[in-house]
Amino acid sequence: KQEVTQIPAALSVPEGENLVLNCSFTDSAIYNLQWFRQDPGKGLTSLLLIQSSQREQTSGRLNASLDKSSGRSTLYIAASQPGDSATYLCAVITDKLIFGTGTRLQVFP
Amino acid sequence: NAGVMQNPRHLVRRRGQEARLRCSPMKGHSHVYWYRQLPEEGLKFMVYLQKENIIDESGMPKERFSAEFPKEGPSILRIQQVVRGDSAAYFCASSPGGSSGNTIYFGEGSWLTVV
């Protein structure tokens, strides 16, 4: 059974710091991995999709990497801003998405 | 191109009533997924549907819950005889094909409160 874990569960940092959020999964037989952002009381916003043949994807200040063999993905956020405050979720994709428990990020001015 | 549309956004039901949650996928998307997020918990898969077919319902509770995605109209998640433990956010997602190569887009969710 696939299990997805995210570390840390919560993170509070001052504005401007570079951050690394971690996601690990137990079964490497995945198609893709997707990172999402969720604001309180809101739905999910897709940030990055990494296909299994890729090792990383970049969008603006965000960079996500994928190492299937070790069952790990990281989301790197450069020069964090207060607007980045949200819960970040990773999901491994087989025939459906299996979510991690999320990292709650707070960036203070 | 509108995103995934869910309604109602908020729904209050008394114990024993029925709740119907609707999801209109993005235009051109024929695959729909339903997820449930309990308070302070992660998103849990419930059911995966294509038009007129249930592909995977392994996450659906065995009783009181049902889902459909008819040829015409939105996907419906139906909860009969609701109990307080059904209070949660229910998210719908859609994709143009299967999940293997496609980005999956989520709606804003439907928040069910059972009183």
Side-chain angles (χ1 to χ4, degrees):
Chain A
K1 180 185 174 184
Q2 178 75 267
E3 293 185 2
V4 184
T5 305
Q6 290 187 245
I7 294 173
L11 186 61
S12 182
V13 299
E15 181 176 9
E17 281 206 2
N18 300 322
L19 309 172
V20 176
L21 308 182
N22 297 292
C23 173
S24 61
F25 47 96
T26 54
D27 186 347
S28 62
I30 65 172
Y31 292 140
N32 309 311
L33 185 142
Q34 194 164 351
W35 281 93
F36 295 87
R37 166 187 173 139
Q38 185 178 27
D39 293 282
K42 299 288 187 180
L44 280 71
T45 301
S46 178
L47 298 174
L48 291 164
L49 171 72
I50 311 176
Q51 298 192 2
S52 60
S53 58
Q54 299 172 322
R55 293 191 66 84
E56 66 179 309
Q57 281 284 345
T58 298
S59 176
R61 295 183 292 109
L62 305 180
N63 175 277
S65 67
L66 174 62
D67 184 344
K68 278 183 59 177
S69 61
S70 66
R72 293 183 182 182
S73 176
T74 61
L75 178 67
Y76 176 81
I77 303 176
S80 58
Q81 303 171 358
D84 294 331
S85 298
T87 297
Y88 290 80
L89 298 162
C90 73
V92 298
I93 303 171
T94 54
D95 58 337
K96 54 185 176 282
L97 279 74
I98 301 172
F99 283 87
T101 49
T103 294
R104 188 174 299 176
L105 172 65
Q106 182 181 12
V107 181
F108 54 89
Chain B
N1 187 10
V4 178
M5 304 300 291
Q6 291 188 246
N7 68 82
R9 290 294 315 281
H10 299 275
L11 182 64
V12 179
R13 285 287 179 265
R14 296 185 184 279
R15 280 178 294 171
Q17 291 185 319
E18 179 180 287
R20 284 193 179 217
L21 309 177
R22 297 174 193 79
C23 170
S24 296
M26 288 180 71
K27 187 176 180 181
H29 287 195
S30 59
H31 295 241
V32 165
Y33 309 80
W34 284 94
Y35 285 79
R36 176 166 65 174
Q37 187 174 38
L38 294 168
E40 303 302 318
E41 293 190 16
L43 279 87
K44 302 297 183 186
F45 168 78
M46 298 183 76
V47 62
Y48 166 32
L49 310 106
Q50 294 181 31
K51 287 280 188 181
E52 299 184 280
N53 285 305
I54 297 175
I55 306 302
D56 181 354
E57 57 181 349
S58 58
M60 288 280 272
K62 294 290 186 279
E63 297 178 348
R64 302 187 298 109
F65 285 72
S66 62
E68 63 175 5
F69 188 16
K71 185 177 180 180
E72 300 292 337
S75 175
I76 306 287
L77 178 66
R78 181 183 179 201
I79 311 171
Q80 295 178 292
Q81 300 174 349
V82 297
V83 301
R84 288 223 171 109
D86 296 333
S87 296
Y90 292 83
F91 289 97
C92 171
S94 73
S95 67
S99 58
S100 63
N102 297 287
T103 300
I104 297 174
Y105 297 88
F106 279 77
E108 289 288 303
S110 291
W111 268 256
L112 172 65
T113 301
V114 180
V115 297

